[in-house]
Amino acid sequence: MFRLEGEAPLDSRARETPFTCFPLEPIALFNPFKRRTFLQAVVAVAATTTFGCSDDETSLTSDGSPYFPQSLASGDPRPDSVVLWVRVEDTARAGEDLPLRLDVSTTEDFSSLVVDKLEVTALAAHDHALKVKVTRLSPRTTYYYRFTYEQGGQKHTTRVGRTRTAPAAGDDVPVKFAFASCQDFIGRYYNAWQRLVQLGEDLDFVVFLGDYVYETTGDTSFQSSGGGRSVRFSEPQGALAQGTGVTAFLAANTLSNYRDLYKTVRSDRQLQAAHERYPFIITWDDHEFSDDCWRDVATYEDGKRDETQLERKHNAEQAFLEFIPLDTAQTSEGVVNVDSEPRFPSTRIFRDFEYGRHLKLLVTDYRSYRPDHLIPEDAYPGAVALDAAVLATLPAPAQQAFSGDTFAYVNIDDPAYVQHKQVLQGVYLSQAKAAGLTDAEAAQKVGTWVKGPLALFYVNQVFKAAGFGALEIPTTGAPRGMAYVHMGKSALFNIQGSRYVVVKDTFDVFAAVKYGATAGESENVFGPEQEAWFNQTMTTATNTWKMVVSSTSLSALIWDLRAKTDIYDPTLRQRFYFSVDQWDGFPTKKKVMLNTLKAGVTNTLFLSGDIHASFASVEEGVPTLTAPAITSGSIKSLAGLALLGAGYAPGAPVYQYAVTNMEKTLQDSNPGLRFADADSHGFVVVEVKADETLATFHLIPAGEVSKDYSKRDGSELESKFTARTFRVKNSDIQPV
């Protein structure tokens, strides 16, 4: 999910400004950990029945067949159509295309067929996964479906799936659905899916917000080891090797690798049951491709090397499109040709759904078009990002905030600093090679970064730490500017101060300046086509509610530690964005978008996930709900492990604010945050009405995720869940 590292005490000059900075040699505040979430594979196939039947038999039933190890699923329901999915597996005919038969009925016993014995083919080229778009259906109607495969004279049938079409446009009906995100498989169990099915809610659909699979196997920084829940690649030689020694793990790379992820996750009986009962509307986030990705670029190397991976991106998209029941090719009817579905950079999975008079649902794509994180992971901490000329264009109060000695800088290319530059470059080369760069790579990087305007706050610490204290440069008369160190970047090639734990106040200034200088391109999250679709759909929709599905959270996750005098380290006594991989990382665009919606669109509600916690907040006057993870490690549990590993006992002030009282810290720092739960898993059920929307968080403590409740009495699982309901009305969220 994220990795955090901390800093050492700042010298006394940091007290001259409200923007505190970070020193050269950080101590470990947070141990590294990633959100490269998880997967595994026990192909534990559910109990099945094999039998024969005549072609005219209409009462065919089955508990499933070993030829359908991932069961079946449906998705993207509209008033007159739905996409049905299945995968057949016959190892004796692995290289052949396999014929199937599809039946669809309005009755569970298939006595009233609307699709009768439709012959379709599951192609070997698509791992025998198949999507069929069934059309000419009736609005707001429940349908039952099944697939049959004949082998050796025997007919083998899937379990019976149930799906439901959307109401017709204009129908005055309430709508009920659930939304969820982030389902780690390794060492964890899908108790949340089991609970959803146990509730038996009469849902119209389920929204899944992304991280349906996780691309890594055995990443010990967050994934459990041992036990029966694991993912194994059938072609490990094609995967990307990450880490070394005991921390080594693999990341999906080939098409086979990505397919293995989906096949493993969908082998889970609880997830299968949810798919069999409800149609799903699914988008992706990062882990369907690569942790904290943007476009076709991964971030494992934290800026050490270029990670543009177009072929890998296409492999990830291919597997997603094969295994997820959606139709990006806009098929008229029948088998969806996966080969015709567009790929990056022409991918289009953003789409909208009409659910009667009261709901317009917009499903957005946060990853495919967005720019890089604003602060490069390989940024040299001392490099000046905004020089004196830029700061002079800011309002007077902002200029004053940057007037202290902490923001002094010099042009290190000035002939007077030849020796200084040599020392800085030498230290950089040593640190870069220690981080794993080759001599040539380190030489290229040093030439890029150790030049031009450099912050004295940073370089003077380098001189001192390297034993060249005599080279320290006075700040008197030096110009003022903002360097990456002022935003929390304290070391080379790391995510602290770039993707996580970024100093809010300086980052906001930096982001706003870049936004203006690039005419908004630096924060162009949606890209031009999606942006145009989003604006037009939101402003022209006449439905009572306009709900936006965003894979990442819009709730502002701020740690305001400025008044925490019991924290001895002044570098920590300031405001931080917890994660700038989510919408907090594009603060200017986020504010513009929300203010535009507040002014021109009534009853907007954002539905989001990704951050492994539950939030209800009002951001710039717009309500937003964030679902917890189905299983992926909660913020609190991961932060707690990291802080303990860094030597902070549970009684330490930093631990208290960041872990024990995390919810209070976040709520105190964001007045719009109405609800926060940082240590539970689960899902949210939403009831859309004409005059209000009710959202109920169904939550189970994070510690229960390692227990398999499918083998226990159902009442035991029920007793572990709690429910919290909130009312969304008049642009506000309040508990019920």
Side-chain angles (χ1 to χ4, degrees), residues 366 372-375 487 502-515 522-525 554 556 558 577 579-595 619-620:
Y366 180 82
D372 193 1
H373 305 86
L374 292 179
I375 302 176
M487 291 179 274
V502 168
V503 181
K504 178 187 186 303
D505 299 287
T506 45
F507 179 77
D508 285 349
V509 173
F510 174 67
V513 170
K514 288 196 69 174
Y515 188 92
S522 61
E523 301 186 34
N524 188 2
V525 177
L554 278 90
I558 301 166
Y577 281 126
S579 168
V580 293
D581 184 58
Q582 63 173 32
W583 276 95
D584 280 346
F586 299 113
T588 322
K589 179 64 176 180
K590 174 183 172 182
K591 188 168 187 175
V592 168
M593 177 181 69
L594 293 176
N595 282 329
E619 306 293 329
E620 303 291 342

Side-chain angles (χ1 to χ4, degrees), residues 18-19 502-506 508 558-562 572-577 669:
F19 296 151
V502 168
V503 181
K504 178 187 186 303
D505 299 287
T506 45
D508 285 349
I558 301 166
W559 290 346
D560 188 351
L561 306 179
R562 292 174 297 181
L572 300 177
R573 293 202 299 268
Q574 52 191 326
R575 292 196 295 182
F576 297 92
Y577 281 126
S669 305

Side-chain angles (χ1 to χ4, degrees), residues 64 300 490 525 650 733:
Y300 298 133
S490 62
V525 177
I733 300 177

Side-chain angles (χ1 to χ4, degrees), residues 310-541:
L310 180 59
E311 182 179 359
R312 183 182 180 223
K313 173 68 170 174
H314 285 169
N315 290 337
E317 290 185 338
Q318 173 86 6
F320 179 88
L321 294 171
E322 288 175 343
F323 280 80
I324 299 301
L326 80 169
D327 172 29
T328 66
Q330 299 181 337
T331 305
S332 58
E333 65 178 351
V335 173
V336 176
N337 181 3
V338 174
D339 292 331
S340 69
E341 296 189 276
R343 302 294 192 273
F344 180 85
S346 300
T347 309
R348 177 168 175 165
I349 67 166
F350 62 87
R351 57 208 192 276
D352 56 89
F353 297 84
E354 188 105 0
Y355 266 80
R357 179 184 301 179
H358 300 304
L359 176 61
K360 171 72 80 170
L361 185 76
L362 288 79
V363 180
T364 65
D365 180 356
Y366 180 82
R367 295 289 173 180
S368 296
Y369 316 103
R370 55 158 287 173
D372 193 1
H373 305 86
L374 292 179
I375 302 176
E377 290 91 338
D378 66 336
Y380 185 50
V384 172
L386 303 179
D387 61 18
V390 173
L391 294 185
T393 65
L394 300 178
Q399 293 185 43
Q400 182 61 33
F402 292 103
S403 63
D405 286 349
T406 301
F407 297 98
Y409 70 89
V410 296
N411 182 353
I412 206 67
D413 293 329
D414 189 294
Y417 301 123
V418 171
Q419 185 181 2
H420 300 75
K421 185 174 181 179
Q422 290 175 344
V423 171
L424 294 173
Q425 289 182 328
V427 172
Y428 184 101
L429 289 170
S430 176
Q431 292 177 337
K433 287 186 281 188
L437 273 68
T438 65
D439 289 347
E441 290 170 335
Q444 187 274 324
K445 290 284 188 182
V446 75
T448 298
W449 286 110
V450 188
K451 64 179 183 180
L454 298 181
L456 293 178
F457 171 78
Y458 180 81
V459 300
N460 281 340
Q461 290 185 76
V462 173
F463 297 141
K464 184 176 180 180
F468 291 89
L471 292 179
E472 290 189 44
I473 304 171
T475 61
T476 304
R480 275 28 179 179
M482 183 202 299
Y484 292 108
V485 70
H486 300 127
M487 291 179 274
K489 192 75 165 63
S490 62
L492 312 181
F493 317 119
N494 71 345
I495 64 173
Q496 182 177 322
S498 58
R499 301 205 302 272
Y500 297 95
V501 194
V502 168
V503 181
K504 178 187 186 303
D505 299 287
T506 45
F507 179 77
D508 285 349
V509 173
F510 174 67
V513 170
K514 288 196 69 174
Y515 188 92
T518 63
E521 285 302 306
S522 61
E523 301 186 34
N524 188 2
V525 177
F526 287 153
E529 184 181 0
Q530 184 176 199
E531 178 90 5
W533 160 82
F534 180 82
N535 290 336
Q536 180 179 14
T537 306
M538 289 296 287
T539 56
T540 60

